[in-house]
Amino acid sequence: MRDARRGSCRGQMGVPRELFSRLIRQTDRVEMHTSKLPSANPALVPARRMTGGRFIAETIKAKGISHVFFMDAVLRRALTEMEDLGIKRILGHSEKGIAYMADGYARALRRPAVCMAQSVGAANLAAALQESWFAYSPVVALTGRHAATYQYRNAYQELPHEPLYASVTKFRGRVDEVAQLPHLLRQAFREATTGVSRPVHLDITGYTGDIVGAAEFTAAIFPEETFAQVPAFRSSPDAASVTRAAAAVAASERPVILAGAGLMMSGAEGALKAFVEHHGIPVVMSLDAKHALPEFHPQNGGVAGTYSRSCANKILHDADLVVFVGSDTGDMITNHWKLPRPETQIVQIDIDPAELGRNFPEAIGVHGDPKAALDRLHSELPSRSRADWQRKVTDYVAEWRAEADIARSSEATPIRPERLCRDISDWLPKNAMLVADTGYASHWSGTLVYLTDPAQGYLRAAGSLGWAFPASLGVQCAMPDRPVVCLTGDGGFMYHLPELETARRHGLNVITIVNNNHCLGQGRRNIDTAYEGRKGNKEEIFAYRDTDFAQIARDFDCFGVRVDKPGDLPKAFDAARRSGKPAVIDVVTEFEALAPLPWTAPS
């Protein structure tokens, strides 16, 4: 099949040119309706004639989005226009990879990101959006789908997209004709950034979306900068709920704040710091909020839950009041609802009213943006000293550090992951963003990497193994002047190895540290239990061949170095940063290493 631009008889991915032209002409006729659509201020935002592709490109530009992540073939007219507007077009190697890149971009900036795929790639893209859903990430996903005349006729590679996106998006829209673009594209950004920020999806007519992309119409571009950031609005809680929460905190002897992903997406770190310093209340965090306070801040009790420090779980256990701020109350943060104790008073601050009381029915619910709620609570709550409680918290943290420092100082070979985390902590640049994979990469880094500078950041996978490496490329796009460091395991890195080529092609000089124990280590305990008392080849279900990822990196024309002695880690980190290329540091670590189980109160 010849390309349509060279005189082919077909206009778009199997659509006959005659039909393709007719569909565009039919879409063109909506101009008279589109030009009459109400506008906020027509004098300030003049309407003009353009293609759907130009409208998409200019809308994305107006939102301040610098990069778009895509898999060919999709919205080629829009992509062409983006070049003129200075938008970087990042072609990846899989739909999941580019969705994770967009997710990393959105989380790093707390702004919307855009990823795109053709009709047959829509299923893969949808699967990746569960990461964005769990992380409250405002990703706008655009896909193509066959025209209406091709629907329900066994058209090539076509299936319904709506069910695929139902569980992983907050809003879904079908763009059947170009006249719908002004409303639906603007609405997509509104939905992504308001209330609970989450991914959204637009399905655009044309196998690659280019029936709409090529059609001409008359429209105006509305920048709507409010919806170019998260949160779009800071909803303030009602006075009565704040008063109830303040009274509960004031009456407590051992209060603790539990900070979560919602607090981070709200940008409430400063409000949290001011609040806890004034009122002397300790903070424990979910993994997503690991960097809500610097490591050695006196109120920092560490990461709690299942991937946790024992000190944080002990603090939660001893508390008589826990204030959840932008955190869910699921099994991970509560260590399967063993924390806090049943008699503990609960306050929940959340932008999503459906979360208030979800797992703690008697909780005092405060509905509002975490930053706005903390500011209100701060102004209403009298200052109070709790010296005994602070001493206990300090002792718990010091006890944990002393124990952790033994493993973090290990000189063993193969290298212990605890030692790897110590050397990352000592070397990590002051403004670096650390991006961690799920599983043990999150567990080790969440507990044992120390983020000591307020400018350092931390993002981690919400649960999809392999997320971290492509996500780190998106973070580097968002933050071109900051060092981005990815921590993953060999199992996770193998998911998206081809994106090394993407990194090299675009000069995304992420430093990827691979904790290479040539296995999926997190499941080791359960596998050992399953094989207890029996013979067999248990390694077959969790072990890989020993792979030299440094050599693979060099084959991609990236920097690669393998480290098998702990004393060589610092110079490897420095060499990677000096290389001026995407870098892979392949660290040979202990096959038998297991992260500690979470602390649980004795029964």
Side-chain angles (χ1 to χ4, degrees):
M1 181 174 66
R2 292 180 296 157
D3 191 297
R5 291 170 298 179
R6 298 178 182 174
S8 79
C9 61
R10 292 183 175 260
Q12 178 192 348
M13 293 297 290
V15 179
R17 170 178 282 281
E18 205 173 283
L19 175 58
F20 183 63
S21 300
R22 186 165 71 248
L23 287 167
I24 291 177
R25 286 197 302 271
Q26 288 171 353
T27 308
D28 261 354
R29 295 191 191 110
V30 303
E31 179 197 344
M32 58 181 179
H33 304 293
T34 307
S35 61
K36 295 177 183 178
L37 290 173
S39 66
N41 192 335
L44 295 178
V45 187
R48 53 194 169 82
R49 194 161 180 82
M50 66 182 83
T51 63
R54 183 73 186 188
F55 182 87
I56 292 169
E58 289 197 19
T59 300
I60 290 171
K61 179 70 174 180
K63 291 291 185 288
I65 296 172
S66 59
H67 294 70
V68 165
F69 307 93
F70 73 102
M71 280 301 297
D72 195 55
V74 65
L75 290 169
R76 286 164 169 163
R77 305 290 183 118
L79 288 165
T80 301
E81 299 285 0
M82 288 177 199
E83 183 177 20
D84 293 342
L85 298 173
I87 299 170
K88 301 285 187 182
R89 302 158 300 174
I90 308 297
L91 169 65
H93 288 274
S94 73
E95 287 83 12
K96 290 190 78 173
I98 58 104
Y100 294 161
M101 291 177 202
D103 187 22
Y105 181 101
R107 291 197 217 179
L109 293 180
R110 298 169 179 146
R111 297 173 67 93
V114 175
C115 58
M116 311 191 306
Q118 65 172 311
S119 180
V120 71
N124 292 335
L125 194 66
L129 289 182
Q130 75 167 0
E131 272 295 315
S132 305
W133 175 267
F134 290 134
Y136 312 120
S137 184
V139 172
V140 178
L142 307 179
T143 58
R145 62 177 177 79
H146 273 297
T149 51
Y150 273 57
Q151 296 291 323
Y152 314 110
R153 300 178 66 183
N154 293 328
Y156 180 58
Q157 297 176 331
E158 182 71 9
L159 49 73
H161 294 167
E162 290 87 346
L164 302 173
Y165 286 84
S167 297
V168 294
T169 55
K170 179 182 174 184
F171 170 77
R172 295 162 298 284
R174 288 169 59 105
V175 182
D176 294 312
E177 55 185 35
V178 73
Q180 295 175 285
L181 267 181
H183 172 66
L184 286 178
L185 192 54
R186 288 165 58 200
Q187 189 64 24
F189 282 98
R190 289 191 194 96
E191 296 275 1
T193 58
T194 55
V196 184
S197 55
R198 274 193 161 130
V200 298
H201 172 233
L202 291 183
D203 216 13
I204 302 175
T205 291
Y207 187 83
T208 66
D210 274 321
I211 289 176
V212 167
E216 291 189 351
F217 72 137
T218 300
I221 304 295
F222 291 85
E224 295 186 300
E225 294 175 2
T226 298
F227 307 109
Q229 61 188 354
V230 173
F233 302 104
R234 290 200 184 276
S235 56
S236 188
D238 66 274
S241 67
V242 173
T243 298
R244 287 183 65 207
V249 175
S252 70
E253 297 296 329
R254 301 181 306 279
V256 62
I257 287 178
L258 200 163
L263 178 137
M264 304 306 296
M265 194 57 76
S266 170
E269 302 98 307
L272 175 71
K273 184 171 180 289
F275 182 87
V276 301
E277 287 178 348
H278 185 76
H279 300 289
I281 299 175
V283 179
V284 297
M285 305 95 161
S286 71
L287 277 170
D288 300 287
K290 171 180 169 63
H291 62 297
L293 287 177
E295 177 67 36
F296 295 105
H297 192 284
Q299 266 71 50
N300 188 339
V303 171
T306 53
Y307 295 4
S308 57
R309 297 177 177 178
S310 60
C311 55
N313 282 7
K314 289 177 181 178
I315 293 166
L316 269 183
H317 176 266
D318 288 359
D320 63 1
L321 178 139
V322 176
V323 184
F324 287 81
V325 184
S327 171
D328 67 36
T329 54
D331 58 332
M332 190 167 187
I333 191 58
T334 62
N335 191 19
H336 304 283
W337 299 287
K338 297 172 186 173
L339 296 168
R341 289 171 295 130
E343 64 270 24
T344 304
Q345 174 72 67
I346 302 297
V347 174
Q348 278 185 265
I349 297 173
D350 207 286
I351 192 67
D352 185 356
E355 289 301 317
L356 303 177
R358 180 187 287 272
N359 291 319
F360 296 98
E362 296 182 0
I364 297 171
V366 180
H367 176 219
D369 170 75
K371 182 180 184 301
L374 281 173
D375 287 341
R376 288 281 302 279
L377 194 60
H378 181 37
S379 64
E380 191 159 327
L381 191 64
S383 179
R384 178 184 168 186
S385 173
R386 297 177 178 85
D388 290 344
W389 178 227
Q390 182 62 56
R391 277 194 294 272
K392 191 169 191 178
V393 167
T394 301
D395 288 346
Y396 278 150
V397 173
E399 180 185 10
W400 177 85
R401 285 196 199 285
E403 183 179 345
D405 282 348
I406 296 172
R408 291 175 89 243
S409 302
S410 171
E411 294 289 340
T413 56
I415 298 170
R416 291 289 306 185
E418 298 95 335
R419 173 60 186 268
L420 172 60
C421 289
R422 190 199 79 171
D423 281 37
I424 291 172
S425 305
D426 293 344
W427 166 81
L428 197 67
K430 290 187 179 297
N431 64 337
M433 181 68 83
L434 179 62
V435 183
D437 226 326
T438 192
Y440 268 179
S442 287
H443 199 150
W444 295 119
S445 63
T447 56
L448 293 169
V449 171
Y450 294 173
L451 302 178
T452 57
D453 194 285
Q456 290 173 333
Y458 179 82
L459 296 174
R460 67 100 184 183
S464 297
L465 190 60
W467 171 87
F469 176 52
S472 69
L473 302 187
V475 173
Q476 190 72 83
C477 290
M479 299 175 164
D481 298 324
R482 289 180 61 176
V484 177
V485 179
C486 170
L487 178 63
T488 185
D490 52 298
F493 193 46
M494 285 185 182
Y495 269 79
H496 297 287
L497 267 176
E499 303 301 351
L500 278 170
E501 188 277 333
T502 305
R504 185 70 179 92
R505 177 165 29 100
H506 288 283
L508 302 173
N509 297 336
V510 169
I511 298 172
T512 301
I513 301 170
V514 182
N515 174 33
N516 189 355
N517 57 2
H518 66 90
C519 71
L520 297 174
Q522 191 174 27
R524 179 69 180 269
R525 280 193 179 95
N526 289 336
I527 294 168
D528 287 346
T529 300
Y531 268 88
E532 190 172 350
R534 64 188 296 166
K535 297 179 180 180
N537 181 15
K538 65 181 178 182
E539 291 188 8
E540 188 174 63
I541 58 177
F542 74 96
Y544 294 117
R545 294 180 69 244
D546 186 13
T547 300
D548 185 344
F549 293 102
Q551 180 58 55
I552 292 173
R554 292 191 291 270
D555 289 343
F556 276 99
D557 192 29
C558 299
F559 175 87
V561 60
R562 191 164 228 224
V563 180
D564 55 15
K565 297 177 182 177
D568 292 337
L569 285 167
K571 64 182 180 183
F573 296 154
D574 289 339
R577 194 170 182 200
R578 289 194 308 267
S579 71
K581 291 182 177 183
V584 174
I585 303 172
D586 185 19
V587 183
V588 181
T589 57
E590 173 57 59
F591 180 77
E592 302 286 347
L594 298 174
L597 295 172
W599 180 89
T600 304
S603 55

